[in-house]
Amino acid sequence: MRAVVYQGFAEPPSLVEVADPVPPAGGVVVRVEATGLCRSDWHGWQGHDSDISTFPHIPGHEFAGVIASVGAGVIGWQEGDRVTAPFVFACGACPECVAGDHQVCRRQQQPGFSLPGSFADYVVVTDAATNLVALPLAVDLDRRQPRLPLRHRVPSRRRPGTCRRR
Ligand SMILES: [Zn+2]
Ligand SMILES: [Zn+2]
């Protein structure tokens, strides 16, 4: 797939070919149809976040798209479903998650920080049961409407929300 990567903090990003991701057990691969650029991406690029520790690194954590492939054990989601996901990918099983506090999951991951991000053709979402959010039909992925943040349109407790970083 194509991906925007950088080889080190504050290095110029470049568009390269990398291996296609495969869906993990319980997770999915999303074909990215739209992705935002956030100040947190800039902080990550500048080296302000210790969650970024390996290179080349694919940034990007605010995205929407279509499920391209589904991992083992995923129930209720299938290829072609239109989805987004919160910035924090929660585990769904730790005490914080069981209490409904996914944003402070003790085993959380973030695309574009601890995981490869969405500045690519495809991005992995872990634990689909916890982290995927279905997009309403009113969100038109083909029109690429960036003016109204997705969080204002997604009628779910698991809204993407604002990025918590800065
Ligand atoms: Zn958790
Ligand atoms: Zn953000």
Side-chain angles (χ1 to χ4, degrees), residues 79-104:
E79 290 177 24
D81 287 348
R82 302 160 72 255
V83 294
T84 186
F87 176 52
V88 169
F89 291 176
C91 76
C94 73
E96 289 79 9
C97 283
V98 169
D101 298 326
H102 297 141
Q103 287 293 108
V104 291

